[in-house]
Amino acid sequence: MNWIWFHKLGSPKWFFQWANKWSKFAFFIGVLLLTIGVVWGLGFAPADYQQGNSFRIIYIHVPTAILAQSCYLGLGVAGIVSLVWRMKMAPVFIKAVAPLGAVMALIALISGAIWGKPTWGAWWVWDARLTSVLILFLLYMGVIAIQNSLDDMQLADKAVAVISVVGLINLPIIKYSVEWWNTLHQPATFTITAKPAMPMEMWLPLLLSTLGMYGFIAGVAMWRMQAEVLVREHRANWVKKEVLDNGI
Amino acid sequence: MHPVRKKRLITISAILVIIGAAVGLMLYALQQNINLFYSPSQIAEGEAPDNVMLRVGGMVVENSVKRDSQTLAVQFEVTDFAHKVTIQYKGILPDLFREGQGIVAQGKLNQDNVLIAQEVLAKHDEKYMPPEIAEALDKAKQKTESN
C-alpha cells in the first residue's frame, strides 16, 4: 500500500496548501447538500404515521448525532497517530475538531430532548443511549478543558491524545446501547444488513443532510487546522512567505 | 515499522484492551441498573422489588385500556407476549399512547403486582412511514384477515 499521502498530510506545510484547495470545496458542497436536505426534510418529506410532523427533527438530530460520533472516532485515531508516530498534524487535528464535535453532541442532545418531549413524554430519561451520548459530550469537554488548561503545549497535546484514545471505548457503547440494554430510545433505523426501516422519500433528504453535515464540518475543521498550523509554525519560513504573499 | 513506534503501538493497544475489559466487566456487573425498565416476565418471576420506584416496559394490550369517565384515572395492561402487568395511572398520557404501542411506566408495585404509575412514557420503534402507506398496509391486513 502507498502511504505517501499519509506522510504528506503529516507535514504542516503540505497540509496547509492541500487545505487551501479543498476546504472551500468541502464547505460549499456541504452547505449546499445540508440546505437541500434540511429544507426537503422539514418542508416536503411526508409526515410519519405515528409521530406526525414532530418526527421531522430527525433531519437535524441524526446528522448531528452521527457527526458527534464520527468526530470522536477521528479524535481517537488522531490520538493513536499522535502517540505512536508523533506526527505534527495529529494534535492539530484533535485541537481543531474537539470543539466541533462538542457542538455536534450538544445539538444532538438538545434536539433529542425537544423530540423526546412530544413523542415519549419526557425531555430526558437516564437510559443507556442518552447517558452514553452525554458521556461523549463530557469527554469532548474534558479534551477541550485539558487542552486549554496546560500551558506546556507538548504536555497538553499528549494528555488530550491519551483521553481521546481512551474515550474510543464509549463509541461501541453508544452504538450498541440500544441492543444490549432495555432503553427508551428506539434501535437503529439504518443497518448495513437490512433495508432501511423508512421509505426513500424519507431517507433521501436524511442522507443529503448527513453528507452535507460531513462536508460542512470537514471545511470548518480544515480552516481551524490551518489557523492552528500558522500559530504553531509561525517561525517557519514558508509561513512568513505565505502570510506576506496572501495575507491572513 | 520502526521498533520504537511498534513498542508504543503495542503499549497503547494493551492499555485500550485492558480499559475496554474493565469497562465491559463494569457494565456487565451493572446490567440490571442500566436497563431502563423491567419486562412483565421479570416481574412475574419476582425479580422486581415491591414498594420501590421502578419502571415497567411493554406493549399495551389491545382492549385493555379502561378510562374513568369522571377523572383522568386510567388502567391498562402491558405485555411482553409472555406475561402481563396491570398498570394504574392518573394523569395525561403522551400523544403516542395507544393500544399496541410500547410504553414505559414508572411507579411502585403493590402486593397484587399492580404498578401504581406516576409517569407513563411512550416508546416508539425504529420504523417510519407516511400515513398513506400505513393506511394502505392496514387495509391490506384487514382484507387478508377477513378472507
Side-chain angles (χ1 to χ4, degrees), chain A residues 18 20 76 126 147 159 209:
Chain A
W18 179 83
N20 258 348
W126 290 102
Q147 182 91 59
S209 52

Side-chain angles (χ1 to χ4, degrees), chain A residues 58-74 97 100-109 111 129 133 136 140 171 174-175 185 188-191 203 205-215 217:
Chain A
I58 198 172
Y59 297 106
I60 312 275
H61 180 70
V62 167
T64 50
I66 290 177
L67 257 294
Q69 294 170 74
S70 298
C71 286
Y72 203 92
L73 184 64
V97 172
L100 299 177
V103 169
M104 289 292 114
L106 188 62
I107 298 176
L109 286 169
S111 61
R129 170 58 72 81
V133 174
L136 178 73
Y140 276 126
L171 290 181
I174 294 177
K175 171 98 179 84
H185 195 286
T189 298
F190 304 97
T191 51
W203 64 248
L206 188 55
L207 179 69
L208 291 183
S209 52
T210 304
L211 291 177
M213 195 62 100
Y214 269 107
I217 292 289

Side-chain angles (χ1 to χ4, degrees), chain A residues 49-50 84 120 182-183 189 197, chain B residues 8 35 101 122-123 126 129:
Chain A
Y49 73 117
Q50 279 200 327
V84 175
W120 297 341
N182 295 330
T183 56
T189 298
Chain B
R8 286 197 288 237
N35 279 332
Q101 183 79 34
K123 197 168 147 57
E126 69 282 15
M129 58 178 123

Side-chain angles (χ1 to χ4, degrees), chain B:
Chain B
M1 202 192 266
H2 195 281
V4 178
R5 289 174 185 163
K6 198 166 186 174
K7 203 178 143 196
R8 286 197 288 237
L9 186 60
I10 291 169
T11 313
I12 290 170
S13 312
I15 291 173
L16 259 185
V17 168
I18 291 168
I19 295 178
V23 171
L25 286 173
M26 210 165 71
L27 292 177
Y28 183 75
L30 290 173
Q31 188 156 35
Q32 268 316 315
N33 298 320
I34 295 173
N35 279 332
L36 185 72
F37 52 84
Y38 288 95
S39 67
S41 295
Q42 284 175 308
I43 288 171
E45 281 154 22
E47 282 181 40
D50 280 358
N51 266 322
V52 175
M53 280 298 263
L54 53 83
R55 294 195 189 87
V56 176
M59 291 282 215
V60 180
V61 179
E62 301 277 344
N63 302 321
S64 73
V65 181
K66 296 188 192 85
R67 287 176 202 270
D68 191 301
S69 56
Q70 300 297 318
T71 65
L72 286 172
V74 59
Q75 177 179 323
F76 55 91
E77 290 178 334
V78 295
T79 178
D80 58 357
F81 304 109
H83 292 90
K84 286 179 185 172
V85 172
T86 306
I87 295 176
Q88 288 174 355
Y89 177 63
K90 207 173 202 178
I92 297 167
L93 293 163
D95 291 354
L96 278 186
F97 181 91
R98 61 196 74 174
E99 290 173 354
Q101 183 79 34
I103 62 111
V104 175
Q106 188 179 31
K108 286 181 184 172
L109 285 175
N110 67 12
Q111 276 86 9
D112 309 325
N113 264 359
V114 172
L115 187 82
I116 311 300
Q118 296 178 355
E119 185 183 41
V120 173
L121 301 175
K123 197 168 147 57
H124 65 85
D125 62 12
E126 69 282 15
K127 297 184 185 70
Y128 302 88
M129 58 178 123
E132 307 87 62
I133 295 180
E135 261 171 48
L137 282 178
D138 263 1
K139 269 185 197 161
K141 200 178 155 197
Q142 278 167 9
K143 220 176 182 179
T144 50
E145 274 171 8
S146 62
N147 285 349

